[in-house]
């Protein structure tokens, strides 16, 4: 994007050169600013107009305004959460997890959104992970929403809540809620949210990210671990666990474990098996109080 330049005080010669009609196009990640703006009026007024448009474009540019990490063209969709750019970089879509059992649909959705497109990358750290992948929020040129948000809006991903930036996390949660309310994509399946009364369904998701919903029957502390128990049989029923060192964060958010007893809540995370199925709660964002009992 070419931002406006203030020509106040410029020499008459310079003003005469730049006072000709100008065409300014906004093609950044914040989206197009309608038709190109043509300035043929007095230069100062035109410059002010351009500055306003440029500022507005930046202010509304993204639903997750992290630092830029570069750009490129998408050469291939690797899987439901990864892209390969023409320069060889593999990009892992930050902030989302694979949702639903139909990977083919999710991969096709990602291809529709990003394949062959010019994209910009945003994030806190561009260091590759141990697999050589760079985690980032990805924006297709001309879009105000990240690729992650678009997948969530279609019901083709889950918000993974491993993002520390509150604005980013809120944008992803809102996008997922839009699809869930409309029963789009995976949300058309009644089993998309696992029921704690059906521990077998949760066990089937071991090693995968899942959303689980139910009523907390009891809260018990064993050593350094607090258990939110959704059933009476610890070897069979589902429980969410919270490490002692994480408790203060939950208490600060008015989500102290004891306050959750007899409450209906929704939790999300990777399912493991330690006796019965378990999800370890590492962040406050993994818990959503639904109200009621």
């Amino acid at each position: 994007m070419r931002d406006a330049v203030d020509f106040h005080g410029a020499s008459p010669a310079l003003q005469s050169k730049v006072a000709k009609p100008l065409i300014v196009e906004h093609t950044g990640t914040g989206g197009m600013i309608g038709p190109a703006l043509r300035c043929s009026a007095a230069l100062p007024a035109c410059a002010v107009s351009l500055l306003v448009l440029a500022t507005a474009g930046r202010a509304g540019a993204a639903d997750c305004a992290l630092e830029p990490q570069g750009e490129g063209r998408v050469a291939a969709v690797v899987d439901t959460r990864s892209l390969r750019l023409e320069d060889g970089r593999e990009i892992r879509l930050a902030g989302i997890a694979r949702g639903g059992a139909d990977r083919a649909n999710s991969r096709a959705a990602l291809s529709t959104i990003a394949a062959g497109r010019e994209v910009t990358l945003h994030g806190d750290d561009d260091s590759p992970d141990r697999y050589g992948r760079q985690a980032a929020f990805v924006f297709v040129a001309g879009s105000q929403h990240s690729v992650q948000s678009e997948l969530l809006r279609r019901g083709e991903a889950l918000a993974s809540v491993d993002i520390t930036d509150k604005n980013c996390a809120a944008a992803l949660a809102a996008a997922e809620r839009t699809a869930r309310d409309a029963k789009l994509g995976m949300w058309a399946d009644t089993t998309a949210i696992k029921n704690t009364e059906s521990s077998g369904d949760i066990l089937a998701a071991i090693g995968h990210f899942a959303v689980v919903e139910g009523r907390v029957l009891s809260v018990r502390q064993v050593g350094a671990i607090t258990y939110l128990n959704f059933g009476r049989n610890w070897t069979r029923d589902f429980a969410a666990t919270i490490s002692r060192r994480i408790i203060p964060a939950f208490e600060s958010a008015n989500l102290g474990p004891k306050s959750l007893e007899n409450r209906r809540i929704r939790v999300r995370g990777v399912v493991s098996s330690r006796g019965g199925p378990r999800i370890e709660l590492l962040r406050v964002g993994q818990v959503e109080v639904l109200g009621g009992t």
Side-chain angles (χ1 to χ4, degrees):
M1 173 179 175
R2 288 169 287 177
D3 289 346
V5 179
D6 187 354
F7 291 102
H8 288 288
S11 67
L14 176 58
Q15 291 188 22
S16 67
K17 292 180 180 179
V18 298
K20 297 178 181 179
L22 300 175
I23 298 177
V24 178
E25 298 179 354
H26 184 291
T27 57
T29 59
M32 301 296 294
I33 304 180
L37 175 67
R38 298 178 182 274
C39 295
S40 56
L43 184 61
C46 179
V48 170
S49 297
L50 295 182
L51 181 60
V52 169
L53 284 173
T55 303
R58 287 193 296 268
D63 56 12
C64 192
L66 297 174
E67 290 298 314
Q69 289 185 347
E71 57 189 26
R73 180 182 291 274
V74 176
V77 172
V78 178
D79 57 35
T80 59
R81 289 183 56 205
S82 302
L83 304 168
R84 182 174 293 111
L85 304 185
E86 286 184 344
D87 62 11
R89 283 178 293 170
E90 187 169 330
I91 308 302
R92 191 70 164 166
L93 300 178
I96 62 170
R98 182 180 67 82
D102 196 336
R103 297 190 183 191
N105 278 356
S106 296
R107 184 167 180 169
L110 181 54
S111 294
T112 299
I113 294 167
R117 305 292 185 87
E118 294 287 345
V119 297
T120 57
L121 312 175
H122 296 262
D124 291 323
D125 184 3
D126 61 0
S127 301
D129 64 14
R130 59 179 177 171
Y131 302 107
R133 303 171 305 192
Q134 177 183 340
F137 278 84
V138 179
F139 290 81
V140 172
S143 175
Q144 290 184 319
H145 301 294
S146 64
V147 169
Q148 285 92 321
S149 287
E150 293 297 342
L151 287 171
L152 290 167
R153 283 189 178 88
R154 298 179 186 208
E156 298 296 347
L158 294 167
S160 65
V161 301
D162 58 354
I163 299 300
T164 56
D165 185 278
K166 292 182 179 179
N167 291 333
C168 295
L172 296 182
E176 182 192 279
R177 187 164 54 250
T178 296
R180 190 169 65 241
D181 291 346
K183 292 181 171 49
L184 299 177
M186 78 180 76
W187 303 110
D189 186 345
T190 56
T191 65
I193 297 179
K194 307 300 182 185
N195 190 324
T196 57
E197 295 179 3
S198 302
S199 57
D201 290 343
I202 305 173
L203 280 170
I206 285 178
H208 299 286
F209 192 93
V211 179
V212 180
E213 185 178 306
R215 182 168 67 92
V216 179
L217 298 184
S218 66
V219 177
R220 298 285 185 270
Q221 183 174 336
V222 180
I225 304 297
T226 295
Y227 291 81
L228 306 182
N229 296 310
F230 293 77
R232 303 297 182 188
N233 189 325
W234 72 272
T235 64
R236 182 189 64 208
D237 295 327
F238 175 75
T241 63
I242 311 176
S243 171
R244 179 185 294 161
R245 63 187 175 82
I246 306 296
I247 297 292
F250 280 82
E251 292 176 337
S252 296
N254 295 318
L255 290 173
K258 272 298 183 182
S259 73
L260 299 176
E261 197 166 39
N262 293 317
R263 303 292 298 277
R264 190 166 185 81
I265 68 173
R266 184 181 294 149
V267 299
R268 62 182 62 216
V270 177
V271 179
S272 63
S273 178
R274 299 172 187 174
R278 304 283 184 262
I279 286 181
E280 183 178 8
L281 302 180
L282 301 172
R283 296 175 179 82
V284 172
Q286 287 176 262
V287 176
E288 182 183 354
V289 177
L290 303 176
T293 58

